Amino acid sequence: MSLRLLLAFDKFKGSLTAKEVAQAFSLGIHDIAPDVKIDVVPIADGGDGILETLVEAVGGEYHTAEVHDPLGRPLAARCGAID
């Protein structure tokens, strides 16, 4: 039976997304153990990164909408849509 790992990381705020962290660990593990089966599942705690984690997990799509901040200034906001 071969070894199988689940990598489930949150983001490294300010440097890497959850997906990038898991991919970096996966590459490092494969360097020393190329036969290991690795499943990558990015996670988020509900703060920064939750949109990307949810949209990518279910194959959704991103949209941008023009909104206004509390002072009425225009702002582009990104949101996600899933079936």
Side-chain angles (χ1 to χ4, degrees):
M1 178 190 270
S2 63
L3 182 61
R4 186 172 184 179
L5 297 175
L6 171 64
L7 301 181
F9 289 98
D10 197 348
K11 72 201 164 301
F12 283 21
K13 192 168 186 168
S15 59
L16 296 172
T17 66
K19 185 176 182 179
E20 291 168 337
V21 173
Q23 288 173 337
F25 271 81
S26 181
L27 290 172
I29 292 166
H30 277 137
D31 281 348
I32 60 170
D35 295 332
V36 173
K37 168 75 171 128
I38 299 176
D39 294 305
V40 174
V41 180
I43 60 172
D45 62 7
D48 295 344
I50 191 72
L51 175 64
E52 292 80 10
T53 301
L54 291 173
V55 169
E56 292 181 22
V58 297
E61 56 186 38
Y62 296 104
H63 297 279
T64 303
E66 185 78 19
V67 297
H68 293 91
D69 73 5
L71 299 177
R73 297 173 295 202
L75 180 68
R78 192 167 86 156
C79 58
I82 57 176
D83 288 333

